[in-house]
Amino acid sequence: MGWLWAIIVGLVLGVLARAILPGKQDIPLWLTVVFGILGSVLGNAVASWIGVEDTKGIDWIRHLLQLAGAVAVVAVGDMAWQAIRGNRQRT
């Protein structure tokens, strides 16, 4: 059941990250989910590093760190995807 939640959270965070980032990201949905999962893991690692991984009530700080991680991973992943696929726009 943990993998199912990871996929759902990855999908939600990945889509939110794509909505936050300016411009159009040319990555497929499955890669958005993977980047969202990686961003969630990164956010959880940072939350545990600063000591806010488990608080009473809703873990707002941890969730914001997960979203920030997803935004960072989607931004970097989109640039890498464009470089690999050869879709980089030349200016």
Side-chain angles (χ1 to χ4, degrees):
M1 197 63 148
W3 285 105
L4 178 62
W5 279 114
I7 293 170
I8 292 169
V9 168
L11 174 64
V12 170
L13 286 176
V15 169
L16 283 174
R18 285 181 69 167
I20 290 172
L21 288 169
K24 184 176 186 293
Q25 292 77 40
D26 292 324
I27 55 175
L29 183 61
W30 66 268
L31 200 54
T32 302
V33 172
V34 170
F35 290 160
I37 292 170
L38 291 174
S40 175
V41 169
L42 178 65
N44 280 337
V46 171
S48 65
W49 180 62
I50 63 174
V52 294
E53 74 274 7
D54 191 25
T55 59
K56 293 182 181 178
I58 299 174
D59 297 330
W60 291 110
I61 296 171
R62 180 174 57 97
H63 295 317
L64 288 174
L65 289 170
Q66 288 176 333
L67 182 58
V71 168
V73 172
V74 167
V76 171
D78 180 52
M79 289 186 287
W81 180 258
Q82 288 179 6
I84 290 169
R85 300 292 283 178
N87 295 337
R88 180 176 293 179
Q89 295 179 357
R90 303 193 190 269
T91 56

